[in-house]
Amino acid sequence: MINYFKEIFAGLWTLLVGLKLTARYAVAPTVTCHYPYQTLPITPNFRGHTDLVIDPETASDKCIVCMMCENTCPSQCIEVIGEKPEGSKKKVLTAYRLDFTKCSLCGNCVEVCPTSALEYSGDYQLAGYSRHEFHFELLERLRGRVKAQGIVPRPKPAPPEGGAEAEAKPRKVRPKAEEAPAASLEPKGEEAPKAEAKPGE
Amino acid sequence: MTEALPPEILRIAVSVAVVVIFAFANAAIMVLVERKVCGHIQRRPGPFEVGPHGLLQTAVDGLKLMGKQILVPRGADGKLFRLAPVLSFVPPIAALIVVPFSSRLQVRDLDIGVLFILFLAALNVLAILVAGWSSNNKYSLFGSIRAVAQSVAYEIPLLICLVTIVLWVGSFRMGDIVQMQQGSWLWVIPNWFVFTPMGFVAFLIYFITGMAETNRAPFDLPEAESELTAGFHTEYAGMGFGLFFLGEYTNMVLVCAVATTLFLGGWGAPAFLEVTSTGVLANAYQLGWFLLKTYGLLVVMIWIRWTFPRVRFDQLLNFCWKILIPISLANLAVTALWLKTPFAG
């Protein structure tokens, strides 16, 4: 008999404890993010599709058209097209096509790139009406970003003349590679909403 | 005008309209309150897009429901299938006519007010049974079978708790019950039944069984969505579903209004806030107190729903037969003995 009432009161007590807990949560501030209006910062480790890194010196890509990414891609979804302009020794990128429908986001292209010209974009809200909307032209996207963010070329002060040009070349590559992650982190925030502009077309 | 239309009929027409409007407005508000409270308990804002802070959400939802087609499943009993939603929302609305919203604002103060409400509340289970049976769907049938077992079990302690108060007052009339609870003890504690030991126990049991009668969580086995999709109203779409919802919320407000009337002093304000006049303003003041208490109880019901998990079926029936019924019976016996002692009023 005692146990009977004990059980009832113990049960009642636990119910009240539960009610107290939910009441406390009910008056606590909400923790959700009002998604389309607010977005959470995405982690820099997020792997979206690849994007070309903007070189702050030239306000253009860093690609040297070495074809490493195209060759290493296991899904064969990258097509790099470059040409050698008149009187130049180096190739210049004219188109970088990424077929994102086939990409498995393995990241080999990013890792293999000798000039760190590739980065993961923060695009997590891709949507489209046909798969053709996911055949990206990364060079065009890069130009669009440069225009949207108003980046102007800021050439470095010219290195002291006289040194052998052949020697300068490999050295020029290295510092850029270290610079790349810092430079690529910055514009990521503004990049995300830009992706919606695409599906409309 | 008065020759052609007797004032009594006019009065009935107006009061029916008012009661129906009250039921619809109540459902519209309660759906929103429920979703808001639920959201905040889960630390999200609830509906937020339609109107400021989602205030127009139910209006839009109502429009959507009205725009949908009512489908009758193949093999269903068409007539009963269409009848069930109506059967579910008419009785609770009809029961509202004996509820004393204030000292004057009551459509009919029937001699048998409490019995009238009990009779109409019992029809709810019939509506659920008809809905589940006529849908030709196993989930609906399961839901309605559960509803019947649950309602039959929980109606007993519910009745006993109400009888406790009826015994005390000596009348089934809602007005008498409220009148009995006016005034206060030592100018501090109002003479409400909930502030007496027996009344408190009866109130607690009544509130629990009321939740079970309205099929609210944690007693929502008839519509347990994780087990029975939606239970007895699985097959209903559009306004058929809407009417079930309307019936559920009207039932809730009825349960809370009866609890207010029988245990919380009805439209009476606490002693230090009482007004003695009987004018229109005083009635509005009383109405305010009545609605405050009723909606307070409704919020508690919602709060409970979003706090506790659903009980298992054996737990449900054990709880009723082993705990609620013995305690409410003992409570009734104690009350009867108390009333025979010289201390009782």
Side-chain angles (χ1 to χ4, degrees):
Chain A
M1 196 65 192
I2 289 283
N3 270 342
Y4 176 78
F5 285 107
K6 229 186 219 169
E7 234 171 72
I8 290 175
F9 281 112
L12 213 59
W13 180 250
T14 57
L15 293 184
L16 291 179
V17 170
L19 283 176
K20 190 183 149 204
L21 187 79
T22 46
R24 223 177 44 220
Y25 278 134
V27 292
T30 56
V31 292
T32 49
C33 167
H34 291 241
Y35 165 58
Y37 311 115
Q38 303 171 342
T39 45
L40 297 173
I42 36 170
T43 155
N45 288 340
F46 180 78
R47 287 191 175 192
H49 62 82
T50 52
D51 234 345
L52 288 169
V53 173
I54 302 173
D55 186 348
E57 277 180 47
T58 58
S60 181
D61 59 280
K62 293 182 181 179
C63 181
I64 53 172
V65 202
C66 66
M67 299 296 187
M68 293 274 268
C69 50
E70 186 176 328
N71 291 336
T72 199
C73 181
S75 318
Q76 292 165 4
C77 58
I78 299 173
E79 191 185 347
V80 182
I81 301 168
E83 60 174 27
K84 205 178 275 182
E86 282 297 316
S88 169
K89 281 178 184 168
K90 292 183 283 183
K91 268 187 161 183
V92 171
L93 185 70
T94 52
Y96 190 109
R97 298 199 184 113
L98 170 69
D99 181 0
F100 192 52
T101 56
K102 287 197 279 180
C103 175
S104 61
L105 291 166
C106 67
N108 283 357
C109 49
V110 176
E111 269 171 43
V112 81
C113 183
T115 57
S116 293
L118 284 174
E119 64 178 345
Y120 299 110
S121 73
D123 287 1
Y124 57 89
Q125 31 194 13
L126 292 168
Y129 289 102
S130 89
R131 66 179 192 278
H132 303 296
E133 286 172 30
F134 299 101
H135 295 192
F136 298 132
E137 224 297 55
L138 295 191
L139 194 60
E140 262 171 39
R141 284 175 58 90
L142 174 118
R143 284 181 189 140
R145 268 189 303 159
V146 166
K147 215 171 168 187
Q149 296 171 25
I151 296 174
V152 287
R154 274 179 306 177
K156 266 188 188 168
E161 287 298 319
E165 253 180 270
E167 206 187 313
K169 239 178 208 168
R171 263 191 26 225
K172 208 179 167 193
V173 169
R174 293 288 339 153
K176 258 193 215 167
E178 261 145 49
E179 222 173 85
S184 65
L185 280 183
E186 263 179 76
K188 253 183 191 167
E190 293 99 320
E191 249 170 72
K194 214 187 62 178
E196 279 93 17
K198 282 223 113 166
E201 42 180 77
Chain B
M1 181 71 189
T2 38
E3 307 297 310
L5 212 62
E8 190 54 22
I9 290 182
L10 198 68
R11 192 177 112 89
I12 288 172
V14 169
S15 45
V16 163
V18 169
V19 162
V20 169
I21 288 169
F22 172 73
F24 272 80
N26 166 67
I29 293 166
M30 286 313 292
V31 170
L32 186 70
V33 170
E34 170 120 46
R35 293 181 62 182
K36 276 286 179 191
V37 170
C38 156
H40 279 279
I41 283 178
Q42 295 165 0
R43 305 201 66 182
R44 56 189 176 81
F48 209 77
E49 291 303 312
V50 192
H53 280 256
L55 287 178
L56 299 175
Q57 184 68 47
T58 33
V60 179
D61 281 349
L63 278 180
K64 181 204 77 174
L65 283 179
M66 276 184 243
K68 278 173 132 181
Q69 190 183 2
I70 298 178
L71 292 168
V72 180
R74 192 184 301 139
D77 190 332
K79 273 181 201 149
L80 286 182
F81 187 80
R82 289 195 184 85
L83 178 71
V86 180
L87 205 57
S88 119
F89 98 110
V90 168
I93 288 181
L96 284 175
I97 68 170
V98 294
V99 172
F101 287 94
S102 78
S103 56
R104 294 282 186 82
L105 201 62
Q106 185 181 16
V107 181
R108 274 293 172 116
D109 200 1
L110 292 179
D111 285 347
I112 49 159
V114 177
L115 281 184
F116 183 74
I117 285 177
L118 281 174
F119 154 68
L120 286 171
L123 279 182
N124 184 41
V125 66
L126 183 68
I128 293 176
L129 181 61
V130 167
W133 181 259
S134 63
S135 292
N136 190 29
N137 176 319
K138 59 186 169 191
Y139 297 122
S140 305
L141 188 58
F142 274 136
S144 55
I145 288 170
R146 286 181 180 190
V148 172
Q150 177 177 331
S151 292
V152 167
Y154 276 80
E155 223 147 73
I156 301 167
L158 181 89
L159 262 167
I160 296 172
C161 288
L162 295 188
V163 163
T164 311
I165 300 302
V166 168
L167 199 66
W168 207 318
V169 179
S171 166
F172 278 113
R173 197 189 282 267
M174 299 289 256
D176 290 349
I177 295 172
V178 177
Q179 279 302 335
M180 178 107 176
Q181 298 178 72
Q182 298 310 305
S184 60
W185 184 71
L186 296 180
W187 295 282
V188 184
I189 300 172
N191 272 339
W192 303 349
F193 285 121
V194 74
F195 293 121
T196 59
M198 288 82 86
F200 180 72
V201 172
F203 170 70
L204 216 57
I205 295 177
Y206 170 80
F207 200 59
I208 293 169
T209 52
M211 252 179 298
E213 283 288 306
T214 48
N215 304 322
R216 297 277 302 174
F219 305 111
D220 62 341
L221 286 106
E223 46 191 299
E225 58 277 78
S226 47
E227 304 156 29
L228 301 178
T229 57
F232 61 88
H233 56 62
T234 305
E235 292 290 352
Y236 284 90
M239 223 35 214
F241 171 76
L243 287 186
F244 272 117
F245 242 74
L246 201 62
E248 182 182 327
Y249 280 102
T250 314
N251 248 324
M252 275 167 68
V253 82
L254 183 68
V255 162
C256 292
V258 170
T260 306
T261 310
L262 265 71
F263 300 100
L264 297 179
W267 38 258
F272 49 90
L273 293 171
E274 222 164 28
V275 286
T276 44
S277 60
T278 53
V280 175
L281 274 179
N283 266 283
Y285 183 69
Q286 292 164 347
L287 176 68
W289 273 102
F290 184 86
L291 292 181
L292 186 72
K293 293 172 193 172
T294 307
Y295 280 89
L297 287 179
L298 278 166
V299 169
V300 172
M301 262 177 136
I302 292 170
W303 179 16
I304 286 174
R305 170 169 179 191
W306 295 105
T307 302
F308 302 135
R310 186 181 306 127
V311 295
R312 223 167 45 219
F313 200 75
D314 58 316
Q315 292 170 334
L316 175 90
L317 291 184
N318 276 343
F319 181 56
C320 180
W321 291 102
K322 289 188 181 167
I323 296 180
L324 292 184
I325 291 180
I327 290 186
S328 53
L329 268 176
N331 192 43
L332 178 65
V334 171
T335 311
L337 284 177
W338 162 254
L339 290 174
K340 280 293 162 196
T341 58
F343 314 111

